[in-house]
Amino acid sequence: MGSSIRTLAGKGGAACALFVLGVPADAGFIEDSQGSLTLRNFYFDRDYKGESNVSARREWAQGFILNLKSGFTEGPIGFGLDLQGMLGVQLDSSRDRAGTGLLPVERGSGEAQDSYAELGITGKIRYSKTELHLGTVMPRLPILISSPARMLWQTFKGGHLRSTDIPGLSLQAGYLNRMNQRDSTDYQKIAIAGPNGRFDGTAESDEFLFLGGDYALGKNLTLSYWHARLDEIYQQNYLGAIHQLKWGPGEFKTDFRWFLSDEEGEGKAGSVDNQYVGLNFGYKLGGHRLTVGGALSSGDSAMPYIAGSEPHLISEYAISSEFLNADEHFWHVRYEYDFAAAGLPGLIGVARFMKGTNAELPERLGGGNREETERYLELSYVVQSGPLKNVALRLRNSRYQNSFAPNATMRDDNETRINVDYTWKLW
């Protein structure tokens, strides 16, 4: 399956798109199409504390994301075409504050670009309940989450196959050979994330393969298994389980995540040897939701993941650290309140405390027994009516501290992010 998808992704994406453009506009192709324009205003402010050669990363920018999705042509095999255009415009930046991930930075001057844009084209084929997408794809899988954490999204080139023909079972497979980061318009080979020198971040590959799926075992339990391989760098297996049940007047949720990772082939990024086991327990009662959980990272290295992507960990949604260093012990408490229960629909508040201990860093950064903490507050609101209906405001603030060595790339900081988003449905 991998070699077939690889061939299609390498040669068939453009051919598929050209073929679809030449297909008569069947009813499904037009009638099932949809278009939207998302406006995303993003302010990012990371104020570094303590000893640091950079005092702050602070920028403000406006993003435009146009999504045009066709339906499928009629017949046993349907064809379709998706287009995505993204534009980022600088509103405020300077050379000493650039590098937030909102805007590309000129290598020579160190200044952020005034604007940048890209166009993604995806051809798609459907048979029964199986779809193959070729071209620009944005996977959201346990072993690879295309990051939406800045103004514009991270994208990949390749092929992505999805099937739900078997009731209760969702199967997916894919081949990717290029990635484009959130603040870039240039597609590059796929690299491993390497902050603090945990891996050689310059190691690249032009082959990322994945295969896996989710199985709903009844209404309350979902099991997952995934396998991924970044050629000549690392391979990874994932097992997950989510269980939900009514318990008393509320709902109880258990979320289990297990990753097993080691180097693949020549191991160009260095030794990879990691087991990560995480568990969350959550309880929802009315507008209240309380989640507590923890994770253990063991082995000789940190857990690997693709550069710029979002690792699917118990620490997800942390905005200053991933808490996945070698031998790191992590725990957190998260409280969320939906003010709809108090008569204010659209308003949600979140408070969270995260702590990692026993982290093992490279020897040049001081070795092991390091700690890191993050305190996180979030308030979001979606306008419910009137001329501004569906405008979404999101305010996030975190205070991050660690005991890492002074020359570590992850430094103490106070970070604020403000988003104003609006999606206009064109048709």
Side-chain angles (χ1 to χ4, degrees):
M1 180 178 293
S3 60
S4 298
I5 295 176
R6 179 168 58 249
T7 301
L8 285 169
K11 300 181 180 179
C16 179
L18 292 173
F19 176 78
V20 170
L21 290 173
V23 172
D26 292 337
F29 185 86
I30 300 297
E31 291 181 2
D32 295 334
S33 67
Q34 51 186 299
S36 66
L37 176 64
T38 296
L39 310 179
R40 168 171 281 189
N41 190 277
F42 204 124
Y43 174 76
F44 183 106
D45 184 344
R46 179 176 288 169
D47 182 17
Y48 291 107
K49 305 298 181 182
E51 295 183 14
S52 174
N53 58 346
V54 179
S55 61
R57 301 291 187 191
R58 186 179 301 119
E59 292 182 307
W60 182 28
Q62 176 67 51
F64 303 86
I65 304 172
L66 177 66
N67 281 302
L68 305 178
K69 299 179 181 293
S70 79
F72 289 91
T73 58
E74 296 180 348
I77 300 178
F79 296 88
L81 182 67
D82 295 344
L83 300 176
Q84 182 187 70
M86 295 193 288
L87 170 66
V89 179
Q90 178 194 139
L91 298 178
D92 179 65
S93 180
S94 68
R95 183 168 57 185
D96 60 331
R97 296 184 281 108
T100 64
L102 297 183
L103 300 161
V105 178
E106 298 285 356
R107 292 184 178 180
S109 66
E111 296 181 348
Q113 294 182 9
D114 292 334
S115 64
Y116 67 114
E118 64 175 283
L119 175 66
I121 303 176
T122 308
K124 54 188 182 181
I125 305 170
R126 183 181 68 185
Y127 176 75
S128 185
K129 295 182 180 180
T130 297
E131 293 185 17
L132 175 62
H133 289 212
L134 300 166
T136 300
V137 296
M138 293 180 291
R140 296 189 63 82
L141 309 170
I143 41 75
L144 176 60
I145 300 176
S146 179
S147 176
R150 292 296 190 273
M151 185 172 63
L152 304 182
W153 291 346
Q154 179 189 39
T155 58
F156 293 84
K157 292 291 188 184
H160 190 173
L161 180 70
R162 287 171 278 193
S163 176
T164 56
D165 281 282
I166 301 174
L169 180 63
S170 172
L171 293 174
Q172 300 188 49
Y175 165 81
L176 309 176
N177 60 14
R178 290 294 184 273
M179 68 177 184
N180 185 27
Q181 301 293 25
R182 302 164 299 194
D183 57 350
S184 172
T185 59
D186 299 324
Y187 275 90
Q188 306 164 355
K189 290 186 177 182
I190 302 174
I192 190 174
N196 286 334
R198 61 173 67 135
F199 300 112
D200 180 2
T202 64
E204 297 178 324
S205 174
D206 55 11
E207 182 176 279
F208 181 80
L209 295 171
F210 62 86
L211 173 68
D214 306 317
Y215 181 64
L217 194 62
K219 295 181 179 180
N220 300 323
L221 178 62
T222 300
L223 304 177
S224 302
Y225 170 74
W226 294 87
H227 175 77
R229 188 189 79 192
L230 183 58
D231 191 48
E232 302 296 345
I233 296 181
Y234 77 86
Q235 60 180 339
Q236 190 171 75
N237 291 283
Y238 169 82
L239 283 174
I242 296 178
H243 184 249
Q244 301 181 78
L245 73 140
K246 292 290 184 179
W247 191 27
E251 183 178 89
F252 187 74
K253 179 180 179 180
T254 303
D255 186 347
F256 170 78
R257 306 177 189 184
W258 177 82
F259 289 87
L260 175 63
S261 311
D262 55 33
E263 67 257 28
E264 200 284 325
E266 297 182 8
K268 294 180 179 179
S271 175
V272 179
D273 174 32
N274 180 267
Q275 290 190 54
Y276 177 96
V277 179
L279 187 62
N280 262 342
F281 298 100
Y283 188 69
K284 184 178 184 301
L285 178 63
H288 306 273
R289 183 188 295 273
L290 178 66
T291 303
V292 296
L296 294 177
S297 175
S298 61
D300 295 332
S301 77
M303 198 197 89
Y305 66 97
I306 299 300
S309 69
E310 303 293 326
H312 181 65
L313 306 177
I314 297 300
S315 58
E316 64 184 346
Y317 307 124
I319 64 176
S320 293
S321 180
E322 316 100 321
F323 298 92
L324 49 65
N325 293 288
D327 291 330
E328 186 160 9
H329 302 168
F330 168 80
W331 64 271
H332 77 121
V333 179
R334 184 180 190 271
Y335 172 73
E336 176 182 328
Y337 184 70
D338 187 343
F339 287 84
L344 294 172
L347 181 63
I348 296 176
V350 177
R352 189 180 186 192
F353 179 80
M354 293 161 275
K355 187 175 183 66
T357 61
N358 199 53
E360 183 78 28
L361 300 183
E363 286 299 325
R364 64 179 181 81
L365 297 181
N369 199 26
R370 304 293 166 170
E371 296 185 357
E372 54 182 336
T373 61
E374 181 175 327
R375 295 180 290 276
Y376 175 89
L377 295 173
E378 175 181 330
L379 191 65
S380 62
Y381 179 66
V382 178
V383 180
Q384 302 295 296
S385 61
L388 297 179
K389 183 179 180 180
N390 295 327
V391 171
L393 172 65
R394 188 182 187 190
L395 170 64
R396 289 169 287 174
N397 178 264
S398 77
R399 179 71 171 96
Y400 173 75
Q401 295 175 292
N402 66 42
S403 63
F404 298 172
N407 58 339
T409 57
M410 297 174 66
R411 297 177 286 271
D412 294 3
D413 65 66
N414 187 3
E415 183 169 318
T416 299
R417 302 184 190 186
I418 302 175
N419 290 85
V420 181
D421 293 0
Y422 176 72
T423 297
W424 178 29
K425 188 174 181 180
L426 302 178
W427 72 85

